[in-house]
Structures are given as C-alpha cells and as structure tokens.
C-alpha cells in the first residue's frame, strides 16, 4: 500500500481494494516505526486522521473526487486550525493556529486526509533541513546525509513512503532541491498560482506553495486542487485553473528544449552532467529538440536573492516579538528585553543571520546600493528568461549541483550553503514554474532533472515530466532496507 | 531681531469606513478591547492585507476637493519599527508614491484676508493600536481594536506663518473632511489628530531654521497654545546664542508647555521598502469620475453661494455653511420664506443659542427645519410678532407642539383688527389722563409708555405697527 | 567587505535581536562574508532598468467596504502569553 502513488491509491479506494482507514492505519504504523530514523514529522495527527478516514469511507460512493480519502502531510509552515504550527522554530513551538491556510482548506475540501505536519528548515531558511529547532531530517537514501531543504521533512517522508505526497514551499528551491536529493518529484508553480494565505511568510515576492510527490501525475492532481484565486491574498492571480492531469499525455513532438549554457559549464559534477545528458536523450527520443540558450545574468541570481529574500524576511519576521503569541523569554525586565531576548532565544542562528542581513541592506544609505540594485538585477534575470522562452518552450537542466551531502558538511560558511540553490533560485526571482523529477543516481544517491516553463505553463512542464516518467523508472525507485 | 515663524501641519484623519483598510474587521469606536482585532490586525503568522475600496474613494474625494493630483499609480510601503501597538513590527503606509499630492486650500482669516496653503501630499496608512498604562502590575495593556483603522495623513507645505494661520488651516481641513463625509472629525475620540512642525528664522532669511515636531495635538486650542509656547522657546534659545535641537516633543496642557518625548529620542531608521504583499494601486478615470460625481457642494462654494443667493455677509454665510447639517437646515427654512434674512437671523440666533445651551448638535435639535419654517411663516405673514415668536419657539422646544398648535392653544395670534385695537388704545388713553396731558405738553418720550400699556392690555399681541399708527392719531387729539 | 563590530551591534539592535558578546565576532564574520558575496551585484550594468518589486504584472485588487470579521477574541487569545481584561500585557511602555 505504501508504495502506491496517489493516483493508484485513489483508484484502489474507489475500487474498494482497501479502505481509507486501513491505509491510514498502515501509514501511521510506518511513521511510528520509521520516522525516528528520519525525523521527518514534527506532529502526527493520528486520531484526527483516523476520524477523517472513517468519515471518508462512510461517505464513499462510486464517484468521489480524485483525491477523496487520500492521505497526505503538510509542511509545518502551513497554518492548520487547532493543530500546532511551528515553522520548524522554537519561536512557534507553543503555537496552535486558530485558522487553516487556504492550501490546507482546499486540499481538505478535495478529500485529502492530513496525517501530520512535516519538519523543515526554520522559517523555511535553509537548503538541508539542518536548521530546524526539532533537529535535522535525514535522507532515507543515506541516513548520514541531508534530504535537502527547506521542505526536507516532506521530501524524506515521501521518499520513505511514509506518506504518498506532501505539501511544501519554495522560495529559492525549497521544494525542487529536496525533491532532487530525495529522488522524488517536486513542483513549484508560477508565482501567484497558489494562495499564500496561511502560509507563514519568509520572502513574500518569492514564496510559493507546491507539492512533493512520487510522480508528475500525482503532482498534477494535487496542484489542480490547490490552485486558484484567493481574495484573501492580493498577490494571487485571478485566472482559471486548468485540469493539470488532462494534458499529461500530450505529445512532445516538436517541443523545443533549452539547456542553459551558463549551467552546463564547470561546477557541474561530471556524473551529474551525465545523468542530465541521458535524460535529454530520452526527451529527444520522444520528439523534442534540444538547443543551447543563454541567461547572461543568471550568475547574479544567488547574490540578488540573498539581498531580496533577507530584506523581505527581516520585515516579515518582526511580528514575532513575544507580545501576542509564540515564544516569550522568561521574566522580561522591560520592553526592550522582551523583544531582544524573545527573539534572540526564539530564533536560530540562520534566521538571525538573514534578519540581520535584511536589516542591513534596507538600512539608510544602503537601500539603493543593495535592495534596489538587486531588484534591478532581478528584472534582468526575468528578461533573460523571457528572451530564452522565445526560442524554446521549456528549459531543462540539473536541479542541484551535487547529490545529497553529509549532515554537518556545509554548516560553517553560510555562503557555501547558499550556492546549493544556484540552479533553482533564478526561477523564483522570475516567478516562473519549475519542477524537479528524478533522473538517475550518482554513487547510489538520487539526481534530479529540473524543468522550467513559462509563466502559467505548469501543464506543459508536468506533461514533459510525465512522459519522461513513462519512459523511465527513476521515480519508482525507493530506498530499500528498513524503508522497503 | 525680527523673527519669522514657519509652521507645517501633519494631520491624521481617520477615514470613516465600516471596515479597516486592510482587513474586514469593524472600525466602530468604543468596542470592548481586542473585540475588533482580527488575525490580520493582530499580525498573526500567515495572514495578508487586502485593500478596502472605500478608503481609496475617500482619498480621491479629498484630492479632488483640494485640486490635487490623484496619482494614477501609488505604492504601499512598510515603515519598520518595534512598538507594542504595532503588531506586525511595521506600519503599512505610503512613502515615495502617495495617492494624492500637490493640492491647496484657501484660508479666510478673521481679519478678512485670504491665504492659500499648499498641501504637499495626502497618503493612506493604517493606524496603530493603543497602549493603556493604568497599572497592570507594572505592565501595559495593549488594545489592538484601532490597529488597521484607515488614516489619511495630510501634510501641508510649511506655508503657515502664525498660530492663527495654523488654527485656521486646521479648521479648514477639519471642515472639509467632515463635509466630504470621509472623517467625523471627533478629536476627543482621536479621529482627527495633528502634529505641528515648528521652526523660526530671522525675517528675510531664506533658509529654514531647525524645526521641532510637536505631536498629537487634539484640539484647536492646544495647537494654538503649543505653537505660541514653542515659538517663544525657540526664539529664547536662539537669542541667547544656542541652537534648536531637532526633536519630537509633546504639549502638556496643564503646564501649557512643550517638552521632549522620551521614547522616540533615538532617530529611527524605518527602512522603508515597497510592501511585497500588496500590488501597486492604480486609480483609473472611471473611479475618479464616479467620486467626482458624488462630491457634495464644497464649503467654500456653499459659502459663496449663500452670499449671492441670500444676500448674506461673508461672515454670516460662513457661519451658516460651517457644516452641512447647519447649511441644509438653514436652506430648508430659507426656501420657504421670502425674507431670507429672517431665516438666517433665527438659525444663527435663537436656534444656535438654544442648541448651545442644551449642548446639542443641530442634527439632534428638538425643532426640525420644517417646524422652524412653520413658525417663521407666521412671523412673515404677521400672524404673530417677532417677540411672540420667541415665546412660541420656547414652547415648541419644550415639546408643546407645532407652531400653529401653540399659537392657538395659548391664544397668541397677533391682534390686527383695527377696531378692537382702537378700543384698547382709547381705554388706555382714558385711563392715563396725566400722561396724556404731559405728552401733549411736549414730553414725547411718554409715547413709549402708552405703547407699553397697550401691549400689556393686549397681552403683547397687538400688531405693533397698528398700535403706533393709532396712538399717534389719538394722542394728537 | 568587513563589517565592524559596532555596525553589527547596531543592526542587531534595530532588529531587536539579542546577541551575546561571544556571538558578536561570529556574526561579524558571517555577515561580512554574506555582504562580500552580494557585493558582486555592483558589476551588473543596470542603467535604465526598473527595479522589479513583483514577478506579477498586476495591480492591487480592491475589496468592498463591509465588515466580515466577527469578534473571535477568545479564540485568538488562546495563544497569548499574558492577557488581562482582554488586553495583551507587555512590560510597561514609557511615553
């Protein structure tokens, strides 16, 4: 049961091969047994899940939506009413959200059952899930290695088949990079496609909600249910949501694929490069044509991101002050002490680093040189993509420069960690949709293929990933051993 | 040394919308603490601001009324600082691109002179909550009901040159926002607040002196007093060779002085940047045209029209157009009378006096406009005299009924029948032979005595003109 | 580009973050590395390029002026650390 995809589970439930309750029990037992190795979950909502499963079984007719009674997990960045929502931080360790995020509401309305909240880098800041207050998450492919971040818990849980799918968020690569390191599929839609209401904000102009799944088909099902205009989010786009599953089998004949020359140069590990090349051959075999494109300013995407994202987060995190909710330092001497110690003790080092970076780049005298400059560079990067997309329909390349690295390997120099997002970050700056699909292994560790599309062409990138997954079986591989 | 005072005023007007600028919580004054603070107002994790269209309309109305430019595109910016009444740790305001800019308003001062004051900008922002300092065992209690209430911050050019001008400007803006229906102007409740930027410089000097900011002046009187004190203070410093410190100060009404504000001493770096949760506000022609079509007659147009249409003096026209409720009341009464001055005099006189004494606003007047009109019609058609009308007015005020009912019940109709008045006149003359002889001997002053006696005998109801005419005739012999 | 200790302390104060004396040099080092890294942006030619505040080419939607939020104080104050008479308590604010 736990090896089944979401689509498979939905079919089986409709055919009454097993009940929601049986499935939920099975997965809860797996989580109890295996999660201590991974630390992928912060909260498991077992009782509520069983209640919901029983209700789903009782309500089952032969129809039912495609997601009825299907279990998923939510990254602990999404507010869930009546359930602890920690954002991976001591600052919110005692926080029980009074409301549901729009994403949570919509997926519940579509019939999904929440099994729990997954671990993540604190306030979504990180690329390895090592900054969580609740301890690091381990990669089920190699427990001494990171699963990627910030949606590391969701990635590990899906890779280990503790849950068939999970939500995540992606600001600079936080869905795609862990998907690549954990050998699963992950999609970040176009900025504005999915509501940010109820998704604890990190960098408002970059954050997007998405999903981590075993297949592109599963991602399509979830994305269709999650997407769409939300009047509570001024930045959510009022445009119709297509049925993303409907176009999955479209032909790739004549599809023009761009490979970014700036990415295929030095810096890319040869084994990694080989896996990408092999994937491109598969796509050519399906009728696509590959050519090189250039994104001349892409090399500045990481520095630009590390001005814009910290700037926005330094302001977004000011509300965590120990006054109305969340962590409060013991016996504050005065107001200043309340703020400084609650925030000093409540936030971890990476969060504090980014808040301070953001405060610095916005401060008087530096705003033009850093923040405005970075936003101009952002414009250049977006223009580069637009230009490239006149010549090609999708851009394909590596998701991550390396496969999963060892826990503790990159924690000394923050900048080294930041360079993990070198291929993914530009996509967030330009607001485009991107996904990662598994395309091979290097020394037994998964490698991901990134597929980027034009704005609102999620359907096309899912189609490409789906056709690729019909020709290959990388996505069907799961870590063995204890996780089999 | 001749010193020139330079003043700029920043007025925060709370916009009278039903809901808050960025959330759907209510804005009504006086609710139980934190009962009107929703998740957006509380700065909870994950929530987002959405802009209220009513707020935009009100800002546009103000811009149109002051001949300002309505920015086709304006941007919301975050002003970042930490304070317990600011739940997000930033205030959403407008910085580089405000919604309205480059307007003006003309002041008509007491001495009859006129002066145009520039309005640099008016921008939208959210209000903060309130801190209550009654002791909660050494702590402060925070009420966030007010957090998120929409504010229009109106900034004048430093064109004001005296406390008198500053008060006139503040009153003009106060009148305008109430006329437009965008702000109730209730200073006690904090819906209209004023900060004054004050500096002095030697007459003739072009460069501005260092200014001090006096915050939260919530009455016309306090603005005047604070400015007078502050100007003196600054002149004293400069004349003794010192320099004025640029700082924020508070006015203490009990001591009638300004003093520095402790908590905002350090210069704050607000790190303004465009709010990424909000998109640029675009205001198109349709919205502006809609708002323009819905604008009421502006106070200065109404005042000028009153002067023309009713032949009123500038002063009287100003009094009768001070607020829309008064103006509408007056016009209802004036419309039904040929003698417009009669309406003006009664509204400014008897009615205003009675309202003041009872502490009532005209909208709560026990005598409505149509009722006063009925009364004044009886004066105009000479059913009663002006003097009797005052008695009727008092009776109506006390709730005795409409004008005609009171006149009837109390038998107050003016006596105009020549025959009956003549009879009374003859009786009075006959009853006062001594005075008659003295009058005929040349003591003209006694005419008033006879008038008084006739009025007394008729309970004040005899038509005065008729009495005069008859007395003149009959006294002459 | 190396930040000074004083600058780092000033930033920490603006951001209301307490950092201990031992931590200051670590933050000085880390922040200096980060600022050094982002300094690369200087070499970009951005003459005439508008800053991109948003990937969306959209304008602000407007909502109707109606009250949609009921009083849910009891629910919201469940997470409050210190409340009395409906007010959030914090150390005394001096004005």
């Amino acid at each position: 049961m736990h090896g089944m995809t979401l689509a498979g589970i939905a079919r089986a439930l409709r055919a009454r091969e097993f009940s929601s309750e049986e499935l939920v029990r099975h997965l809860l037992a797996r989580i109890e047994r295996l999660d201590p190795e991974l630390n992928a979950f912060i909260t498991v909502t077992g009782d509520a899940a069983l209640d919901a499963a029983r209700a789903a079984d009782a309500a089952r007719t032969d129809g039912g939506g495609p997601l009825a009674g299907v279990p998923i997990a939510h990254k602990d960045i999404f507010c869930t009413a009546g359930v602890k929502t920690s954002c991976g931080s001591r600052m919110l360790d005692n926080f029980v959200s009074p409301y549901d995020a729009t994403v949570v509401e919509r997926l519940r309305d579509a019939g999904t059952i929440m099994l729990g909240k997954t671990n993540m880098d604190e306030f979504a800041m990180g690329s390895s899930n090592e900054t969580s207050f609740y301890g690091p998450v381990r990669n089920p492919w190699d427990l001494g290695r990171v699963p990627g971040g910030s949606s590391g818990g969701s990635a590990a849980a899906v890779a280990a088949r503790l849950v068939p799918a999970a939500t995540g968020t992606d600001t600079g690569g936080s869905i795609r990079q862990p998907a690549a390191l954990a050998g699963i599929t992950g999609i970040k839609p176009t900025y504005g496609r999915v509501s940010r209401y109820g998704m604890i904000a990190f960098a408002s102009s970059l954050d997007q909600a998405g999903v981590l799944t075993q297949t592109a088909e599963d991602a399509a099902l979830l994305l269709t249910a999650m997407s769409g205009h939300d009047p509570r989010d001024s930045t959510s786009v009022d445009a119709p949501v297509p049925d993303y599953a409907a176009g999955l089998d479209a032909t790739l004949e004549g599809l023009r694929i761009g490979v970014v020359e700036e990415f295929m140069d030095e810096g890319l590990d040869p084994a990694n490069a080989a896996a990408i090349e092999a994937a491109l051959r598969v796509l050519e075999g399906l009728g696509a044509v590959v050519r090189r494109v250039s994104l001349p300013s892409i090399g500045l995407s990481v520095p630009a991101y590390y001005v814009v994202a910290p700037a926005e987060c330094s302001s977004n995190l000011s509300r965590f002050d120990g006054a109305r909710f969340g962590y409060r330092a013991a016996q504050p001497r005065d107001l200043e002490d309340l703020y400084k110690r609650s925030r000093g003790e409540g936030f971890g080092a990476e969060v504090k680093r980014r808040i301070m970076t953001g405060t610095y780049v916005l401060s008087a005298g530096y705003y033009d040189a850093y923040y405005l400059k970075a936003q101009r560079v952002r414009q250049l990067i977006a223009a580069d993509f637009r230009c490239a997309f006149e010549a090609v329909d999708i851009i394909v390349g590596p998701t991550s420069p390396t496969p999963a690295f060892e826990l503790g390997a990159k924690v000394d120099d923050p900048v080294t960690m930041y360079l993990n997002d070198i291929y993914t970050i530009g996509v967030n700056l330009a607001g485009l949709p991107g996904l990662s699909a598994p395309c091979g292994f290097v020394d037994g560790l998964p490698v991901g293929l990134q597929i980027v599309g034009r704005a609102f062409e999620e359907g096309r990138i899912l189609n490409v990933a789906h056709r690729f997954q019909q020709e290959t079986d990388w996505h069907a591989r799961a870590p063995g051993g204890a996780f089999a | 040394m001749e010193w020139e005072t330079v003043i700029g005023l920043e007025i925060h007007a709370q916009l009278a919308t039903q809901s808050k600028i960025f959330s759907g919580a209510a804005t009504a004054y006086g609710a139980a603490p934190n009962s009107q603070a929703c998740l957006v107002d509380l700065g909870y994790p994950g929530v987002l601001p959405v802009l209220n269209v009513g707020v935009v309309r009100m800002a546009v109305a103000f811009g149109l009324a002051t001949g300002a430019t309505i920015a086709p595109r304006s941007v919301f910016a975050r002003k970042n600082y930490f304070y317990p009444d600011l739940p997000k740790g930033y205030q959403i305001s407008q910085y580089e691109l405000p919604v309205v800019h480059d307007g003006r308003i003309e002041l008509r001062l007491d001495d009859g002179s006129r002066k145009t004051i520039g309005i640099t900008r008016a921008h939208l922002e959210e209000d903060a909550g309130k801190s209550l300092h009654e002791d909660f065992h050494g702590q402060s209690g925070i009420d966030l009901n007010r957090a998120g209430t929409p504010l229009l911050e109106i900034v004048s050019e430093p064109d004001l040159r005296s406390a008198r001008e500053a008060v006139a400007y503040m009153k003009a803006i106060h009148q305008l926002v109430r006329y437009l229906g965008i702000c109730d102007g209730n200073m006690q409740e904090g819906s209209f607040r004023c900060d004054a930027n004050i500096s002095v410089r030697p007459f003739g000097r072009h460069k501005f002196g260092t200014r001090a900011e006096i915050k939260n002046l919530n009455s016309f009187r306090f603005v005047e007093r604070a400015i007078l004190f502050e100007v003196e203070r600054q002149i004293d410093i400069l004349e003794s060779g010192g320099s004025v410190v640029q700082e924020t100060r508070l006015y203490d009404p009990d001591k009638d002085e300004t003093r520095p504000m402790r908590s905002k001493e350090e210069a704050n770096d607000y790190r303004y940047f465009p709010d990424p949760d909000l998109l640029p506000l675009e205001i198109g022609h349709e919205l502006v045209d809609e708002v323009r079509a819905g604008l009421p007659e502006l106070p200065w147009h109404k005042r000028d029209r009153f002067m023309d249409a009713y032949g009123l003096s500038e002063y009287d026209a100003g009094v009768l157009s001070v607020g829309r409720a008064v103006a509408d009341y007056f016009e209802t009464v004036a419309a039904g009378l040929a003698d417009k001055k009669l309406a003006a005099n009664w509204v400014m006189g008897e009615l205003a006096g009675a309202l003041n004494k009872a502490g009532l606003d005209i909208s709560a007047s026990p005598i409505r406009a149509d009722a006063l009109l009925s009364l004044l019609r009886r004066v105009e058609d000479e059913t009663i005299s002006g003097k009797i009308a005052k008695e009727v007015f008092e009776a109506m005020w006390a709730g005795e009924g409409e004008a005609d009912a009171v006149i009837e019940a109390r038998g107050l109709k003016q006596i105009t029948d020549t025959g009956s008045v003549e009879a009374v006149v003859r009786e009075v003359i006959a009853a006062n032979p001594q005075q008659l002889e003295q009058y005929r001997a040349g003591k003209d002053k006694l005419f008033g005595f006879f008038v008084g006696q006739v009025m007394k005998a008729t309970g004040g109801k005899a038509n005065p003109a008729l009495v005069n005419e008859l007395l003149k005739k009959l006294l002459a012999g | 580009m190396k930040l000074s200790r004083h600058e780092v302390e000033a930033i920490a104060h603006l951001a209301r973050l307490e950092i201990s004396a031992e931590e200051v040099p670590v933050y000085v080092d880390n922040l200096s590395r980060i600022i050094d890294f982002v300094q690369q942006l200087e070499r970009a030619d951005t003459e005439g390029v508008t800053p991109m505040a948003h990937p969306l080419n959209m304008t602000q939607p407007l909502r109707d002026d109606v009250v949609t939020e009921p009083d849910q104080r009891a629910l919201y104050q469940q997470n409050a650390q210190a409340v009395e008479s409906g007010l959030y308590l914090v150390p005394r604010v001096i004005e």
Side-chain angles (χ1 to χ4, degrees), chain B residues 17-20 23-24 33-34 44 50-53 83 133 136-137 139-140 142 263 276 279-280 282, chain C residues 14 16 54 59-60 62-63 65-69 71 73 76 79 84 86-90 92-95:
Chain B
T17 50
Q18 301 298 314
S19 62
K20 297 195 176 172
S23 83
N34 292 304
Y44 252 59
V50 188
L51 183 61
N52 180 337
V53 70
Y83 210 64
H133 309 301
F136 289 96
H137 353 283
Q139 301 190 288
S140 292
I142 310 298
S263 64
L279 298 169
E282 273 192 9
Chain C
L14 263 184
R16 297 304 186 271
H54 260 112
T59 57
Q60 177 62 30
L62 301 171
R63 48 161 253 279
D65 181 25
V66 284
V67 174
T68 54
E69 295 291 333
D71 173 9
R73 185 175 83 184
Y76 300 157
N79 278 304
E84 197 175 298
L87 298 161
Y88 294 95
L89 296 185
V90 295
R92 198 120 159 73
V93 173
I94 305 158
E95 238 161 45

Side-chain angles (χ1 to χ4, degrees), chain A residues 368-444:
Chain A
D368 285 11
Y370 292 110
Y371 187 77
L372 275 191
K373 184 75 179 180
Q375 295 284 46
R376 290 187 217 274
V377 168
R378 187 176 180 176
Q379 188 78 257
L380 290 179
I381 292 168
D384 283 355
F385 273 105
R386 268 196 304 276
C387 187
F389 280 125
E390 278 165 27
V392 298
D393 304 310
I394 61 169
I395 288 172
V396 166
T399 305
S400 170
T402 63
F405 45 90
E406 287 175 4
L407 284 157
K410 298 195 186 188
V411 291
D412 291 330
D413 180 2
V415 176
T416 315
M417 187 65 85
Y418 296 165
L419 291 169
N420 279 303
D421 295 323
I422 202 165
Y423 302 127
T424 50
I425 266 180
V427 179
N428 299 81
L429 289 170
L432 300 172
L435 68 73
S436 180
C439 71
F441 287 84
V442 171
D443 299 329

Side-chain angles (χ1 to χ4, degrees), chain A residues 93-459:
Chain A
D93 180 44
N94 62 1
F95 180 71
V96 174
S97 176
Y99 75 110
D100 279 323
T102 300
V103 161
V104 170
E105 251 177 35
R106 289 191 178 171
L107 287 175
R108 186 181 50 240
D109 289 346
T112 64
I113 293 167
M114 177 173 79
L115 292 187
K117 309 294 290 297
T118 57
N119 203 346
M120 52 182 284
D121 275 309
E122 189 182 2
F123 282 102
M125 301 181 202
S127 309
S128 64
N129 218 134
E130 292 176 285
T131 68
S132 170
F133 174 62
Y134 301 96
V137 175
R138 292 161 188 280
N139 192 323
W141 290 95
D142 179 338
L143 296 175
R145 292 176 185 266
V146 305
S150 62
S151 310
S154 289
V158 172
R161 308 297 192 251
L162 301 186
V163 74
T167 54
T169 62
D170 189 314
T171 305
S174 292
I175 285 176
R176 291 161 287 153
Q177 186 254 21
L181 269 51
I184 57 173
T185 302
I187 183 167
K188 177 203 87 69
T190 310
Y191 184 86
R193 177 81 283 188
V194 178
S195 169
R196 292 188 298 116
Y197 184 79
M199 195 173 109
I200 298 176
F202 159 20
S204 314
S205 76
L206 299 163
D207 293 344
Q208 259 302 271
V211 287
L212 295 96
T213 58
Q214 295 168 53
T215 63
E217 181 182 17
D218 286 357
L221 291 171
L222 288 169
L223 199 62
T224 305
M226 281 161 75
S227 300
H229 182 242
D230 182 1
R232 292 173 295 190
D233 175 2
S234 298
T235 61
S236 96
V237 169
D238 193 355
V241 181
D243 176 0
Y244 290 117
L248 290 173
D249 289 309
T251 179
L252 303 190
E253 193 66 47
L255 180 77
R256 302 168 303 165
I257 299 179
V259 162
V260 180
E261 53 187 55
E262 289 84 3
F263 286 166
M264 299 309 279
D265 302 340
E266 355 81 42
L268 184 59
D269 168 87
N272 204 330
I276 305 301
E277 288 296 333
L280 288 167
R281 302 292 83 76
V282 170
L283 293 173
E284 280 176 322
L286 290 170
V289 287
V290 177
R291 51 173 292 179
R292 282 169 97 81
V293 291
S294 172
L295 301 174
S297 297
I298 203 75
L300 291 173
S301 58
V302 182
Y305 174 88
Y306 280 100
V307 169
V308 174
E312 293 182 2
C313 93
S314 70
S315 181
N316 283 333
L317 268 59
S318 293
R319 66 192 63 200
F320 302 106
D321 58 6
R324 299 165 307 291
F325 54 81
Y327 180 83
R328 176 183 277 209
Q331 281 146 349
R333 290 187 303 276
D334 54 32
L335 197 60
E336 286 293 290
D337 189 47
L338 172 75
Y339 290 150
K340 289 185 173 177
R341 262 198 308 132
S342 300
R343 291 164 60 79
E345 292 167 14
F347 290 137
E350 182 59 33
V351 168
K352 286 190 278 201
R353 256 196 296 275
R354 297 208 194 183
I355 290 174
M356 288 203 274
T357 303
T359 304
Y360 181 81
V361 302
L362 287 176
S363 62
Y366 295 119
Y367 179 78
D368 285 11
Y370 292 110
Y371 187 77
L372 275 191
K373 184 75 179 180
Q375 295 284 46
R376 290 187 217 274
V377 168
R378 187 176 180 176
Q379 188 78 257
L380 290 179
I381 292 168
D384 283 355
F385 273 105
R386 268 196 304 276
C387 187
F389 280 125
E390 278 165 27
V392 298
D393 304 310
I394 61 169
I395 288 172
V396 166
T399 305
S400 170
T402 63
F405 45 90
E406 287 175 4
L407 284 157
K410 298 195 186 188
V411 291
D412 291 330
D413 180 2
V415 176
T416 315
M417 187 65 85
Y418 296 165
L419 291 169
N420 279 303
D421 295 323
I422 202 165
Y423 302 127
T424 50
I425 266 180
V427 179
N428 299 81
L429 289 170
L432 300 172
L435 68 73
S436 180
C439 71
F441 287 84
V442 171
D443 299 329
L445 296 169
V447 170
L449 180 77
Q450 181 175 233
I451 306 173
V452 180
R454 298 185 187 94
F456 299 101
E457 290 195 359
E458 286 77 12

Side-chain angles (χ1 to χ4, degrees), chain A residues 24 28 31 41 43-50 52-53 69-76 78-85 100 104 107-108 111-118 163 167:
Chain A
V24 167
L28 289 173
I31 291 169
F41 279 87
T43 303
V44 177
T45 49
D47 291 337
L50 286 168
V70 171
I72 61 168
H74 284 295
K75 182 175 181 179
D76 210 12
F78 291 100
C79 287
T80 42
V83 174
K84 168 174 168 162
T85 301
D100 279 323
V104 170
L107 287 175
R108 186 181 50 240
T112 64
I113 293 167
M114 177 173 79
L115 292 187
K117 309 294 290 297
T118 57
V163 74
T167 54

Side-chain angles (χ1 to χ4, degrees), chain C residues 22-77:
Chain C
E22 299 85 53
E23 287 177 294
V24 172
V26 179
Y27 279 109
V28 169
D29 174 69
N30 285 340
L31 290 175
S32 299
R33 284 178 201 256
I34 295 168
I35 298 303
D36 236 347
F37 175 68
V38 303
Q39 209 91 60
Q40 294 175 63
L41 292 172
E42 263 173 32
R43 65 168 206 254
D45 178 11
T46 53
E47 184 73 42
V49 179
T50 15
M52 180 195 217
H54 260 112
L56 295 173
N57 197 15
M58 266 169 50
T59 57
Q60 177 62 30
L62 301 171
R63 48 161 253 279
D64 288 338
D65 181 25
V66 284
V67 174
T68 54
E69 295 291 333
D71 173 9
Q72 294 195 277
R73 185 175 83 184
L75 173 64
Y76 300 157
Q77 290 190 339

